[in-house]
Amino acid sequence: DVKVTQSSRYLVKRTGEKVFLECVQDMDHENMFWYRQDPGLGLRLIYFSYDVKMKEKGDIPEGYSVSREKKERFSLILESASTNQTSMYLCASSLVSYLNYGYTFGSGTRLTVV
Amino acid sequence: GESVGLHLPTLSVQEGDNSIINCAYSNSASDYFIWYKQESGKGPQFIIDIRSNMDKRQGQRVTVLLNKTVKHLSLQIAATQPGDSAVYFCASDPGTYKYIFGTGTRLKVLA
């Protein structure tokens, strides 16, 4: 019954490393999103994609990039990991419809940068 | 700017009592609202939604109330159980498919 899958639950990376977070959805959703979640700050949008190869910056894109080569897969890339990118990362997807159905979230990836 | 706020960061309720979690939104263009539940170490799960043409919607033990006049919605959980312990947050869609999320209220159920 799993619909949005994030490849790792926990990751520990070193400062300066290039980090890839993968997300796959099996619901044929057009929209996919990457959020980070920090205590007291809620969910903040990093990037979203509304179609294959299309992407838009969210509220906090600095230090991140994304890739969407296939409809079902949306990757978040930390070009050079820094300690302030230690966070919970959540991937979500949604259907484009005049009847809004909300986001489906993955289980999250807790990233620690040391 | 746009914001979705929650009135209380932590809510403690006795098992069996009803819980009420509140949320305010600022964008009057928001036409769709969702409540999510997030248990520790897990991703958010959809609980219930409501569209702007409604003021009340009921699910299993949960009710969402929407007051568009004061831009307020609430989540009511009947007969709160230990399994209801989690962070709850609301989200609104201002018509862009990019939801605005609240910061969350932690619900603690006391035995």
Side-chain angles (χ1 to χ4, degrees):
Chain A
D1 193 42
V2 174
K3 295 178 169 58
V4 179
T5 303
Q6 293 184 232
S7 55
S8 303
R9 292 295 303 274
Y10 301 94
L11 275 179
V12 180
K13 296 291 181 181
R14 294 191 182 279
T15 301
E17 276 193 80
K18 191 169 186 176
V19 182
F20 293 85
L21 301 184
E22 305 288 344
C23 176
V24 177
Q25 52 96 1
D26 63 0
M27 296 168 288
D28 204 34
H29 284 176
E30 292 89 352
N31 296 333
M32 295 188 76
F33 308 82
W34 275 107
Y35 287 86
R36 65 175 284 177
Q37 185 178 34
D38 300 287
L41 298 178
L43 274 70
R44 292 182 291 168
L45 181 63
I46 305 171
Y47 267 97
F48 82 101
S49 169
Y50 50 91
D51 201 351
V52 175
K53 297 189 186 294
M54 306 303 289
K55 61 187 179 184
E56 281 197 26
K57 293 179 181 179
D59 300 319
I60 51 163
E62 295 79 18
Y64 303 94
S65 62
V66 290
S67 172
R68 193 167 181 200
E69 296 297 316
K70 295 184 178 181
K71 189 176 185 179
E72 66 270 21
R73 185 180 297 271
F74 193 35
S75 303
L76 179 69
I77 304 153
L78 284 67
E79 298 292 342
S80 177
S82 63
T83 54
N84 63 13
Q85 291 179 310
T86 291
S87 185
M88 170 73 114
Y89 289 87
L90 290 165
C91 175
S93 69
S94 72
L95 188 65
V96 174
S97 169
Y98 76 98
L99 288 176
N100 208 331
Y101 292 110
Y103 291 3
T104 301
F105 283 93
S107 299
T109 296
R110 185 164 294 281
L111 173 68
T112 302
V113 182
V114 298
Chain B
E2 296 178 5
S3 66
V4 178
L6 288 168
H7 291 193
L8 291 173
T10 303
L11 175 67
S12 296
V13 297
Q14 207 68 37
E15 182 178 353
D17 286 353
N18 296 336
S19 304
I20 300 176
I21 301 171
N22 296 303
C23 186
Y25 64 96
S26 60
N27 192 328
S28 55
S30 294
D31 58 3
Y32 178 67
F33 306 86
I34 307 173
W35 280 100
Y36 285 95
K37 173 186 179 183
Q38 187 174 22
E39 296 174 281
S40 182
K42 296 184 179 180
Q45 291 179 290
F46 174 98
I47 304 174
I48 192 167
D49 61 358
I50 189 167
R51 303 183 195 281
S52 58
N53 60 352
M54 305 170 70
D55 52 21
K56 180 179 180 179
R57 190 159 188 230
Q58 289 184 288
Q60 189 174 14
R61 283 201 305 118
V62 294
T63 300
V64 55
L65 300 177
L66 175 64
N67 185 329
K68 295 180 289 293
T69 303
V70 296
K71 300 193 191 72
H72 180 273
L73 68 158
S74 66
L75 176 70
Q76 301 177 4
I77 304 173
T80 311
Q81 302 170 359
D84 295 328
S85 293
V87 173
Y88 292 81
F89 54 90
C90 60
S92 69
D93 180 9
T96 65
Y97 294 104
K98 289 187 287 182
Y99 295 175
I100 303 169
F101 291 90
T103 53
T105 291
R106 181 172 300 281
L107 177 64
K108 293 185 178 180
V109 181
L110 309 173

